[in-house]
Amino acid sequence: QRRCLTVEIEVRVFAHFVDYLPLPDRGEKVSRIRIRADSRIIDVIEKLGIPREEVSLVMCNDEQSRLQKVLKNGDTVGIFPPIAGGAKG
């Protein structure tokens, strides 16, 4: 029996991180990518070229997650920069 060596995941990025997606995916801010079966969220961030120090929050399947989480086929990963905003008064 042969093991699957890659998995397909969906990556959603927010704010300026859209610039790290492949050009055709930038409009939707979503990319489907194939990665090694033992890849972690940090590996996806590095593959996309997003500077780790700019990542404020990662989600996996709508739950806050760790950078070291190993991904499974069909997972959805969200990558967020620090959130700024609010009115100054």
Side-chain angles (χ1 to χ4, degrees), residues 17 26 39 54 72:
F17 286 170
R26 291 183 183 173
S39 295
E54 291 185 24
K72 302 184 306 290

Side-chain angles (χ1 to χ4, degrees), residues 48-79:
L48 292 173
I50 298 173
R52 182 180 177 185
E53 63 275 7
E54 291 185 24
V55 176
S56 174
L57 173 69
V58 292
M59 306 283 285
C60 185
N61 302 324
D62 298 321
E63 293 183 3
Q64 188 170 344
S65 194
R66 303 175 336 277
L67 293 174
Q68 302 304 319
K69 178 175 176 55
V70 175
L71 297 165
K72 302 184 306 290
N73 194 55
D75 280 348
T76 299
V77 174
I79 306 170

